[in-house]
Amino acid sequence: MAEEPLKRELANDEALAEEVADEHERRALEKTWGDEPGFWGWLASTNHKTVGKRFIYTAFGFFILAGILAVLMRVQLARPESTFLNPDLYNQIFTMHGTTMMFLFAVPVMEAVAVFILPLMLGARNIAFPRLNAFGYWVYLFGGIMLWVAFVMNVGPDAGWFAYVPLSGPEYGAGKRADFWAQMITFTEVSALVVATEIITTFFKLRAPGMSLNRVPIYCWSVLVMAFMVFFAMPTIAWASACLMMDRLIGTHFFNPAEGGDPLLWQHLFWFFGHPEVYIIFIPGTGFVSTILSTFSRRPIFGYTALVLSLVSTGFIGFGLWVHHMFATGLPRLGESFFTGATIMIAIPSGVQIFCWIATLWGGRPRFKSPMMFVLGFFFIFVIGGMTGVMQGAVPVDLQVHDTYFVVAHFHYVLIGGAVFPLFGAFHYWFPKVTGRMLGEKLGHLTFWVMFVGFNLTFFPMHILGLRGMPRRVYTYQPHLGWGDLNLLASAGGVLLTLGVLLFIVNALRSLRAGVLASDNPWGAATLEWATTSPPPAYNFLYPPTVDSRDTLWTQPADQPVVVGLRSDVREVLVTRTLDAEPDLKAEFPDSSIWPLLAALATTAMFIGTIFTPWAFPVGMVPIFATLTGWFWPKKRQAEERPPEEVKQKHGKRYYKLRGQES
Amino acid sequence: MSARPNIDVSNLPTFAFGHRPLTWWCTWSLILIEGGMFVVIFATYFFLRTPVPDWPPGVAYPRPFWGTVNLVIILVSCLPNHWAKKAAESLDLRGVRVWLAVMIVFAFAATAVRFVEFGYLNCRWDQNAYGSIVWVSMGAHLLHLVTDVLDSIVLLALLIVGPVEGTRFTDASENALYWYFVVALWVPLYVIIYWVPRWM
Ligand SMILES: [Cu+2]
């Protein structure tokens, strides 16, 4: 062969020999970890980057849909006594807007970014439980589609995003509208919980050697706190929505006061979930902020330990605040005082974070690139939102502004300021890593300014409207009330905000086609996702990295060790110890598979069926169980190839004898 | 092999027990989620109980006989469960098969008795809020029983038709852990369903 002399020559040169070995490894890993080609392979993918991208695009799609609904509402409210939307459609639209934004955009998109970024940042080859990850995505997608199909067919929920009983109960909520809402909760809750499981396991078990807990990047801590909050918040809403469906379908009386039930039970259950939900959305947002600030200030984040502790304590305190949504229900005075105290206390960890960020900026050499601009915008908006939040923690203020546009203004400042601006910062920051191309910087700045001005124009006037008595969720108002001008201003701001989002889409599409090619680490950042190519290969790292500090790419020597000895012919990953991340086990991840999709379809059939008949529950369990069995059943050939070394050591010949006899 | 400094992990084991393998984290995630759900269910029970003077409201006390039988079955099942877990952790294939099979018999019996129990609750789910919470919390636990029976059967089938892998022993150990959780749920639920109405 002509290759032979060539090979010999290469082997003389040590560096070239290494390159040949690397190329060999690269091909093997590509074959092992890559998605299968074609449509089937696309459906079967369990790669966290493929699934993560899908997740992000889908969540962004729902963001656009919910944004369109917001525009429709602003058109309706731009002038008094408008007849653009009728009251019934308006009810469906504001309910769909809130529901879609909270359940189909905000929580999923935060998890989606984590699905993509977390394994890279920790130096792992894939997320833990990759098939579960694919399943989580499909269930989310189908749940979202179900809700929107229902809406298009005029069966959209219409009782607000928190679906208070009795309005959503069997007595007043006729038809199937509230059922679709309640079942959408089940879909998104299953999806959120499985992704949270993956995040927690990845965080604790798949970190690069050397990344002891005190070296984990802040962003990873923030998604860990988010995942734990999902664990403790989601079961409550799942239980609540199950009770609501049962009240509506099989005649239980959980919320029926005539038979010993209690509508306030719904409010407790909903807000025990609903308040932490806000933190589930905004804590990863603060993770983006810390990451972007550190990179663009060109220094390690100030107060790492304080930041981690304040994230964790925000997570805990977040569960002790739910009653502040119920001050108007006539609870005992002492209870109200307690929850006022707790609500104001949340300002402490938030304040700690803000001071750490200011100190980081202060001691750094900031570069005002587009991701950084969104972070600065976040500061401004979020501080206003936080302050109006503390105001409403006081019961008298809350009673005054309850159910007015003041509340609408407040939570849009918190959610858009605390989550959407950092998220757009994160889009601009990680776009080169995800796509391999840089986003246009000029257009990025323009996007920021248009969004920032548009946002404040839209929502600041709502504070004043609320103080002037305009209630939320009214489809129109009379001219003599004097709310027309500020509403017109808010609607004009809405146009600008929409334009800002469109600019981002244009920028992204243009950059995807013709953007500057991104290097591995275009921002000069410190975390591991920048230690591989942009975009990363299917297996993430040719040799899994190790780290020597929190900001490892800034501090590590050129010959920082890598991990070798993992098989490249199967999807073998390194499992490290929980606290110090020392190598502990080699685990084999399953191949790509169509079963998660089939299981998600079976689950969808059961969930949608139970909207119409309780029998769909037992009957629907059969295909779910069948698909799950298919999912977990190992492929015989592969299982036989797995060398059970430890089993052999224990049993020696006896093991094989046993096996020979019985299989 | 690469000439750069490296950590060679080729000699690490491919499976382990306790908190080292990923499976354990999945099991505990499930336990935290489901456990949280039951805490909320219990809270709902007492939330509905608190404002009512007579409990159960307008219906007879549930009869505790079959519930107590089930308590005994479920508690005794901890023994074969324990042995199955021990056998798994000492890679004793025959032991796992035997004790897992015994465990399944117990879990199956508990499931069957559960269906009988519903007949002795002396209320219907659509009668009042008390009936709703009693039926639904019992049903939620039933769902856990059924799930555990089914996935234990699949695991047993895998252990019998093979090929036997190291991780299969981890699965058996985790399966036993999950059954302990199902047991731990029934104890407070039993007290709440059958005795709280009499005592409180
Ligand atoms: Cu709140």
Side-chain angles (χ1 to χ4, degrees):
Chain A
M1 294 292 253
E3 268 180 61
E4 278 313 303
L6 182 68
K7 266 191 185 166
R8 225 172 292 127
E9 205 179 304
L10 289 180
N12 292 336
D13 189 328
E14 218 175 75
L16 278 179
E18 197 179 310
E19 240 166 65
V20 170
D22 284 358
E23 187 54 35
H24 218 82
E25 182 79 353
R26 200 171 281 129
R27 282 188 195 160
L29 286 169
E30 190 58 56
K31 188 160 170 283
T32 304
W33 288 88
D35 294 333
E36 300 274 322
F39 183 62
W40 194 255
W42 188 83
L43 291 177
S45 176
T46 55
N47 187 299
H48 76 102
K49 295 178 295 299
T50 314
V51 175
K53 267 199 269 185
R54 263 174 218 175
F55 233 128
I56 295 171
Y57 294 151
T58 309
F60 197 77
F62 283 119
F63 174 72
I64 299 297
L65 287 174
I68 293 171
L69 298 182
V71 169
L72 294 178
M73 285 189 283
R74 282 322 315 168
V75 172
Q76 166 71 10
L77 293 175
R79 56 199 170 84
E81 292 187 330
S82 165
T83 51
F84 175 64
L85 300 173
N86 67 49
D88 178 64
L89 186 57
Y90 190 84
N91 287 348
Q92 287 186 69
I93 284 181
F94 75 68
T95 303
M96 284 295 291
H97 167 75
T99 302
T100 304
M101 282 297 193
M102 294 299 273
F103 292 102
L104 299 177
F105 164 65
V107 175
V109 84
M110 291 303 173
E111 296 201 311
V113 175
V115 162
F116 192 101
I117 295 294
L118 183 72
L120 286 162
M121 227 186 213
L122 297 177
R125 286 223 155 123
N126 200 350
I127 199 164
F129 314 122
R131 288 189 179 179
L132 206 55
N133 193 29
F135 175 77
Y137 168 72
W138 294 119
V139 166
Y140 154 66
L141 175 69
F142 298 150
I145 291 175
M146 175 203 73
L147 185 75
W148 272 80
V149 168
F151 171 61
V152 169
M153 294 169 71
N154 197 27
V155 210
D158 58 357
W161 83 279
F162 40 63
Y164 273 6
V165 289
L167 189 58
S168 64
E171 213 172 323
Y172 298 97
K176 290 290 175 192
R177 287 180 170 185
D179 301 279
F180 279 107
W181 182 88
Q183 208 57 304
M184 176 281 310
I185 296 286
T186 319
F187 278 100
T188 52
E189 173 244 348
V190 168
S191 167
L193 284 168
V194 299
V195 176
T197 301
E198 298 150 24
I199 288 175
I200 289 172
T201 310
T202 307
F203 181 97
F204 282 116
K205 299 310 289 178
L206 297 181
R207 304 199 305 276
M211 195 188 278
S212 48
L213 281 185
N214 58 344
R215 288 178 181 169
V216 176
I218 293 275
Y219 172 70
C220 304
W221 279 106
S222 74
V223 294
L224 179 76
V225 173
M226 166 189 78
F228 271 111
M229 293 190 78
V230 166
F231 265 22
F232 295 112
M234 290 288 174
T236 316
I237 187 69
W239 166 244
S241 69
C243 289
L244 177 62
M245 286 205 72
M246 288 186 285
D247 269 16
R248 297 175 56 90
L249 192 67
I250 59 172
T252 57
H253 298 288
F254 289 104
F255 307 120
N256 177 8
E259 291 294 348
D262 191 345
L264 273 193
L265 173 62
W266 172 266
Q267 295 198 19
H268 280 293
L269 292 173
F270 187 88
W271 290 115
F272 186 81
F273 147 83
H275 187 83
E277 163 101 333
V278 175
Y279 294 88
I280 288 170
I281 293 165
F282 122 85
I283 281 179
T286 67
F288 299 146
V289 169
S290 296
T291 309
I292 293 169
L293 263 183
S294 169
T295 298
F296 292 101
S297 301
R298 289 179 277 195
R299 54 152 292 161
I301 192 82
F302 179 90
Y304 174 88
T305 313
L307 277 172
V308 171
L309 289 177
S310 60
L311 283 173
V312 173
S313 54
T314 306
F316 275 104
I317 301 173
F319 282 97
L321 310 184
W322 80 95
V323 171
H324 67 208
H325 296 268
M326 300 166 63
F327 282 157
T329 59
L331 293 162
R333 179 83 49 84
L334 184 68
E336 292 186 342
S337 307
F338 172 83
F339 285 99
T340 293
T343 301
I344 292 171
M345 205 162 83
I346 199 86
I348 298 171
S350 306
V352 169
Q353 293 201 59
I354 288 178
F355 285 118
C356 287
W357 292 327
I358 292 174
T360 305
L361 263 176
W362 200 274
R365 289 164 295 142
R367 290 173 294 172
F368 295 98
K369 297 280 187 183
S370 48
M372 188 71 156
M373 296 309 291
F374 282 94
V375 166
L376 297 178
F378 151 85
F379 281 139
F380 180 83
I381 298 169
F382 182 70
V383 167
I384 294 180
M387 288 196 303
T388 54
V390 171
M391 278 166 72
Q392 288 168 82
V395 176
V397 177
D398 182 82
L399 288 177
Q400 186 63 33
V401 300
H402 187 83
D403 266 348
T404 69
Y405 261 88
F406 190 86
V407 176
V408 177
H410 157 70
F411 67 68
H412 282 92
Y413 265 77
V414 170
L415 288 169
I416 297 187
V420 176
F421 271 77
L423 181 72
F424 271 74
F427 285 163
H428 285 76
Y429 181 63
W430 278 309
F431 190 89
K433 183 52 67 182
V434 175
T435 65
R437 289 179 186 272
M438 305 297 290
L439 261 183
E441 184 62 20
K442 267 191 195 144
L443 209 46
H445 274 260
L446 187 64
T447 306
F448 165 74
W449 283 111
V450 173
M451 279 180 70
F452 182 76
V453 174
F455 169 81
N456 284 294
L457 265 184
T458 314
F459 293 101
F460 196 82
M462 292 187 191
H463 290 111
I464 304 165
L465 280 169
L467 292 174
R468 290 190 185 164
M470 180 170 169
R472 63 194 283 206
R473 296 176 171 172
V474 288
Y475 79 100
T476 192
Y477 50 91
Q478 282 72 45
H480 67 85
L481 292 167
W483 299 332
D485 293 346
L486 285 172
N487 268 306
L488 188 60
L489 188 62
S491 295
V495 173
L496 212 53
L497 185 53
T498 310
L499 193 68
V501 176
L502 286 177
L503 280 175
F504 169 72
I505 296 173
V506 169
N507 196 3
L509 291 178
R510 265 181 46 176
S511 305
L512 269 182
R513 220 164 23 87
V516 180
L517 287 178
S519 62
D520 291 3
N521 189 0
W523 310 121
T527 41
L528 283 178
E529 77 273 29
W530 304 104
T532 184
T533 52
S534 306
Y539 44 89
N540 286 356
F541 302 93
L542 181 57
Y543 298 104
T546 65
V547 308
D548 75 336
S549 79
R550 254 169 226 160
D551 300 290
T552 194
L553 299 191
W554 288 344
T555 58
Q556 69 185 23
D559 60 349
Q560 176 76 14
V562 292
V563 174
V564 298
L566 289 172
R567 288 175 63 178
S568 48
D569 57 336
V570 293
R571 295 185 177 179
E572 197 165 66
V573 301
L574 177 65
V575 177
T576 49
R577 289 205 303 236
T578 310
L579 300 179
D580 58 11
E582 287 298 306
D584 189 26
L585 294 171
K586 294 178 298 174
E588 192 180 321
F589 275 11
D591 273 340
S592 305
S593 161
I594 198 74
W595 284 111
L597 172 59
L598 299 180
L601 285 170
T603 309
T604 302
M606 191 266 259
F607 284 173
I608 294 181
T610 47
I611 290 177
F612 300 97
T613 161
W615 292 105
F617 186 69
V619 176
M621 290 302 266
V622 177
I624 292 181
F625 182 71
T627 48
L628 289 182
T629 306
W631 170 339
F632 288 109
W633 203 270
K635 281 186 191 157
K636 195 171 166 68
R637 189 183 52 76
Q638 279 183 334
E640 276 167 349
E641 275 175 12
R642 261 166 242 161
E645 283 302 329
E646 301 81 356
V647 184
K648 253 191 279 179
Q649 277 164 24
K650 166 87 184 173
H651 289 283
K653 278 183 189 143
R654 194 173 137 245
Y655 166 75
Y656 284 104
K657 213 173 134 200
L658 215 68
R659 197 173 147 204
Q661 279 171 356
E662 295 177 28
S663 69
Chain B
M1 195 52 62
S2 167
R4 74 196 70 175
N6 61 53
I7 302 175
D8 189 348
V9 297
S10 49
N11 288 323
L12 290 179
T14 58
F15 72 99
F17 298 100
H19 62 82
R20 291 169 65 199
L22 302 186
T23 337
W24 184 88
W25 294 80
C26 191
T27 312
W28 268 101
S29 296
L30 210 57
I31 290 176
L32 278 182
I33 294 164
E34 305 285 304
M37 180 88 103
F38 270 88
V39 168
V40 183
I41 290 176
F42 297 157
T44 302
Y45 183 96
F46 289 105
F47 185 89
L48 294 169
R49 163 76 189 90
T50 310
V52 185
D54 295 321
W55 193 260
V59 296
Y61 289 123
R63 284 171 56 191
F65 177 76
W66 286 107
T68 312
V69 168
N70 223 351
L71 182 69
V72 173
I73 294 175
I74 288 178
L75 286 179
V76 172
S77 76
C78 286
L79 284 175
N81 195 46
H82 174 77
W83 291 323
K85 196 169 195 294
K86 277 276 147 319
E89 284 163 19
S90 53
L91 310 183
D92 169 8
L93 184 58
R94 197 159 285 174
V96 188
R97 286 176 184 164
V98 170
W99 292 119
L100 186 60
V102 175
M103 233 293 297
I104 291 171
V105 172
F106 273 94
F108 191 80
T111 310
V113 172
R114 172 58 43 83
F115 280 101
V116 180
E117 279 184 71
F118 282 108
Y120 292 86
L121 291 174
N122 289 329
C123 63
R124 277 172 57 93
W125 67 89
D126 55 359
Q127 210 165 357
N128 53 33
Y130 163 80
S132 306
I133 185 68
V134 165
W135 272 76
V136 174
S137 52
M138 295 277 281
H141 191 253
L142 170 64
L143 193 60
H144 285 73
L145 292 175
V146 173
T147 315
D148 203 276
V149 170
L150 291 176
D151 65 40
S152 298
I153 289 174
V154 172
L155 180 60
L156 183 62
L158 271 172
L159 283 166
I160 289 173
V161 304
V164 176
E165 304 173 56
T167 50
R168 208 60 62 227
F169 291 101
T170 311
D171 294 344
S173 167
E174 294 305 314
N175 190 60
L177 172 64
Y178 191 71
W179 179 254
Y180 281 135
F181 167 66
V182 176
V183 172
L185 283 179
W186 177 237
V187 178
L189 186 57
Y190 166 78
V191 173
I192 289 173
I193 298 291
Y194 292 104
W195 300 103
V196 162
R198 287 177 165 81
W199 295 341
M200 284 176 64

